[in-house]
PDB file of all heavy atoms in Angstrom:
ATOM      1  N   THR A   7      28.925  -9.625  18.505  1.00 89.00           N
ATOM      2  CA  THR A   7      27.977  -9.264  19.555  1.00 89.00           C
ATOM      3  C   THR A   7      27.781 -10.403  20.541  1.00 89.00           C
ATOM      4  O   THR A   7      27.726 -10.187  21.757  1.00 89.00           O
ATOM      5  CB  THR A   7      26.625  -8.850  18.948  1.00 89.00           C
ATOM      6  OG1 THR A   7      26.839  -7.767  18.043  1.00 89.00           O
ATOM      7  CG2 THR A   7      25.645  -8.423  20.006  1.00 89.00           C
ATOM      8  N   ILE A  26      12.833 -18.144  15.865  1.00 83.00           N
ATOM      9  CA  ILE A  26      12.463 -16.826  15.350  1.00 83.00           C
ATOM     10  C   ILE A  26      11.127 -16.827  14.596  1.00 83.00           C
ATOM     11  O   ILE A  26      10.364 -15.867  14.689  1.00 83.00           O
ATOM     12  CB  ILE A  26      13.601 -16.226  14.513  1.00 83.00           C
ATOM     13  CG1 ILE A  26      13.427 -14.726  14.407  1.00 83.00           C
ATOM     14  CG2 ILE A  26      13.692 -16.883  13.150  1.00 83.00           C
ATOM     15  CD1 ILE A  26      14.661 -14.001  14.004  1.00 83.00           C
ATOM     16  N   LEU A  51      12.239 -19.924  30.985  1.00 48.00           N
ATOM     17  CA  LEU A  51      12.107 -18.617  30.339  1.00 48.00           C
ATOM     18  C   LEU A  51      11.262 -18.688  29.090  1.00 48.00           C
ATOM     19  O   LEU A  51      10.601 -17.715  28.721  1.00 48.00           O
ATOM     20  CB  LEU A  51      13.486 -18.055  29.982  1.00 48.00           C
ATOM     21  CG  LEU A  51      14.380 -17.674  31.143  1.00 48.00           C
ATOM     22  CD1 LEU A  51      15.744 -17.247  30.614  1.00 48.00           C
ATOM     23  CD2 LEU A  51      13.757 -16.574  31.961  1.00 48.00           C
TER      24      LEU A  51
END
Side-chain angles (χ1 to χ4, degrees):
T7 303
I26 200 162
L51 293 175

